[in-house]
Amino acid sequence: MTREAPLGAVLAGGRSARFGAPKALAELAGRTLVERALDSVTAAGLEPVVVAREHSPLPARLGARIVRDPPGEPHPLRAITAALGEERAAVVVACDMPFVPAPLLAWLAELREPLAVAQLAGRVQPLLGRYEPSLVAELAAAADRGEPAGEAVLALGARRIGEAELRRFGDPARIGFNVNRAEDLARAEHLLARPPNVPQPPA
């Protein structure tokens, strides 16, 4: 029996407190951050969904279904449980990571581990990874306890995808670049102007 392909879940419901405005609507070279993430998900051959809180501002036309976070205190793990609500695995990517390449997302979709997350500069990145629906109860419990997402995924035995593996898909620093503050958007514009050196990942 063939496994059903994972969803490609773009997480777009963050508070954007440091950015000062809804990050999902921020434009980078004429495309909003959420649209850029959806472009990568679609190019990876995954069914795209956007996960956001009930009143999170989003572009009017996304070309993807919107899944709402469950009630409760905002927590990234709640967004991930929402993406897993259809009892399908999900490859997740935060909308504020504009340089995650489609081949990496496609590769994540093919992994067999129930939980795998990127690790950059020694820190796990729980908002770039692959999750199985069997983890929903444990992820929700960790969110209810207010555990940091990185600590929670490590406690669940996540496979860490280190920089040596990520380098097959491009510069790990570029892949893991986050738009957290307004000045990061300007840095992203400069990075976008520099063509990435993307080696061909092995079959």
Side-chain angles (χ1 to χ4, degrees), residues 47 107 161 179 199:
E47 180 185 338
W107 179 78
I161 301 164
V179 176

Side-chain angles (χ1 to χ4, degrees), residues 9-12 33 37 92-98 100 127-128 178:
V10 176
L11 308 183
L33 292 182
V92 305
V93 59
C95 75
D96 63 0
M97 300 178 74
V100 176
L127 303 190
L128 176 56
N178 278 96

Side-chain angles (χ1 to χ4, degrees), residues 104 107 118-120 128 161-172 175 199:
L104 171 57
W107 179 78
Q119 178 169 296
L120 293 153
L128 176 56
I161 301 164
E163 294 187 8
E165 288 183 288
L166 291 172
R167 198 166 286 115
R168 294 180 292 173
F169 302 95
D171 176 8
I175 290 171

Side-chain angles (χ1 to χ4, degrees), residues 88-113:
R88 289 169 61 182
V91 173
V92 305
V93 59
C95 75
D96 63 0
M97 300 178 74
F99 300 116
V100 176
L104 171 57
L105 298 178
W107 179 78
L108 287 171
E110 295 299 321
L111 295 181
R112 294 284 170 172
E113 290 86 355

